[in-house]
Structure formats: C-alpha cells, structure tokens
Amino acid sequence: MLGLKLPTDPRWANIAEDNIEEILIDHAWCEQKAASTAISFIVTYPEHSELVTEMAALAREEMSHFEMVHKRILDRGLVLGRERKDEYVGKVMAFFPKTGDRIERLVNRLLVSALIEARSCERFKVLSENIKDQELSTFYNALMISEAGHYTLFLKFARKYGEAFGVEERWQNLLTFEAEVMSDLGDKELIHG
C-alpha cells in the first residue's frame, strides 16, 4: 500500500528496543516537526482552503502525538532532550530541484511529506510487530494506522494540485530515490535513520 521500494529490516526493531530512550526522544521531535510542517502549509498556501482546513486538523493531531510520546518519555523518568538533525528528511527534501513555480513547490512538498509519513508508518509497523514491550507495541500499532492516514492525505493533495506536473512520475522517482537513501541508513536508533 505504501509503495516503499526498500522495506525496513525487522532487525532494526532490536536496535530501537535496545535504545528506546533515543527512539522515544527522536520520535517526539518527529511529531513536533510534523506539526510544524502542517502549520507551514497553512502559512505558505492560505488560498487553498481545503488544504488549510486539513492541515489545521493535522497540526492538532501531530501535537497530540507529541504529547503522547512525551508522556512515555516522562513515565520512564527521562527528559525530552535536544532536537536531533534528521539526515533522512534532509536527503529526501533535497530530491526535487528548487523551482520558482509556487504550485510545483507545493506539489513537491506534499510528495516529500507523503513519503516521510509512509516511512514513519512502515517503521511504526516494524516496531509494533517486533518489540517485546507490549504497551509500546500497542502504541506504535495505533500510530501506524494514523500515519497511514497522513500519508494518503498528502498524496491526495499532491495529486489534486499536481496534475500539470506529472505527479505520478514524480512520486515513483521519489520512491526510487528514497530506497537509495534508506540503503545507507537503517542501523541507528532513529525513527528514519
């Protein structure tokens, strides 16, 4: 369903479980960044009312996910810690060349956002199916379902606004590129790394 061309090795869950503090902190920051991204769409494209409405709801949902992850951090006697650079996101965001066309930029950002949500969904599935901590397994299963909805939301808007830009070809090319990026990652205690 997600279209990802390189699945996560299930052994990544062992790395994650052995470093659950790092995973939770990284995950919390991922949720905060996702909320910020939704707000950025509102600020940058206020003329697209349907997009604004959906992004406002998404920002609220992502912040509620941040709060849920933060609670799990606190429940374990940990602190949030500083934000980490997300190498994965940096690489996939650099895939599309800069363009002066406002709608093309929108489509590219929507596709990248869809991809990030798809990878998060896939990673949460791996966690939910492979970690021993039953509470976290259940938690990540619920978030996996939510991330799948976010992925389809971004892809829906990319297709709506991107007809003139060959959105399906762009999406397939981005998926191929992302597989190359992931081939160099996947052995760190990071949601995307």
Side-chain angles (χ1 to χ4, degrees):
M1 173 194 113
L2 299 170
L4 298 172
K5 297 188 184 283
L6 182 64
T8 294
D9 185 327
R11 292 176 295 183
W12 170 79
N14 299 328
I15 295 168
E17 193 159 35
D18 289 345
N19 298 280
I20 202 64
E21 174 183 359
E22 295 301 317
I23 284 292
L24 289 171
I25 291 168
D26 185 58
H27 180 192
W29 283 111
C30 287
E31 297 292 356
Q32 182 277 326
K33 291 172 196 168
S36 295
T37 296
I39 292 167
S40 174
F41 277 111
I42 294 168
V43 171
T44 309
Y45 299 97
E47 70 275 18
H48 296 289
S49 297
E50 183 184 4
L51 180 68
V52 169
T53 299
E54 293 289 346
M55 290 299 111
L58 181 61
R60 287 190 301 276
E61 184 178 349
E62 297 288 19
M63 281 311 295
S64 76
H65 292 172
F66 171 85
E67 290 172 335
M68 289 188 281
V69 178
H70 188 239
K71 179 182 182 320
R72 281 160 178 81
I73 290 169
L74 296 177
D75 288 350
R76 286 172 164 71
L78 307 170
V79 294
L80 178 60
R82 296 177 96 45
E83 179 182 7
R84 287 87 189 265
K85 183 178 179 189
D86 194 322
E87 181 182 2
Y88 167 85
V89 171
K91 287 183 177 187
V92 296
M93 286 181 71
F95 176 72
F96 291 113
K98 296 203 182 299
T99 176
D101 188 295
R102 184 172 162 72
I103 298 301
E104 185 177 11
R105 278 196 316 272
L106 170 60
V107 170
N108 292 345
R109 285 185 64 198
L110 288 165
L111 289 173
V112 167
S113 296
L115 178 61
I116 293 167
E117 296 288 346
R119 183 55 73 183
S120 297
C121 176
E122 190 255 3
R123 283 290 174 100
F124 293 165
K125 182 176 192 295
V126 169
L127 282 174
S128 73
E129 292 176 349
N130 294 286
I131 60 174
K132 295 177 188 92
D133 183 316
Q134 192 55 52
E135 188 273 332
L136 283 178
S137 174
T138 302
F139 175 63
Y140 278 110
N141 186 66
L143 286 182
M144 171 194 66
I145 295 164
S146 181
E147 298 297 303
H150 302 167
Y151 149 76
T152 57
L153 177 69
F154 283 118
L155 207 49
K156 174 188 88 168
F157 279 116
R159 288 174 172 145
K160 175 178 179 170
Y161 301 122
E163 192 176 324
F165 300 104
V167 73
E168 295 306 326
E169 183 178 352
R170 282 173 190 251
W171 175 239
Q172 290 306 314
N173 291 340
L174 181 59
L175 288 169
T176 299
F177 175 77
E178 193 261 1
E180 294 170 20
V181 169
M182 287 304 294
S183 69
D184 292 333
L185 301 174
D187 60 350
K188 294 185 180 125
E189 59 278 359
L190 301 167
I191 294 297
H192 300 118

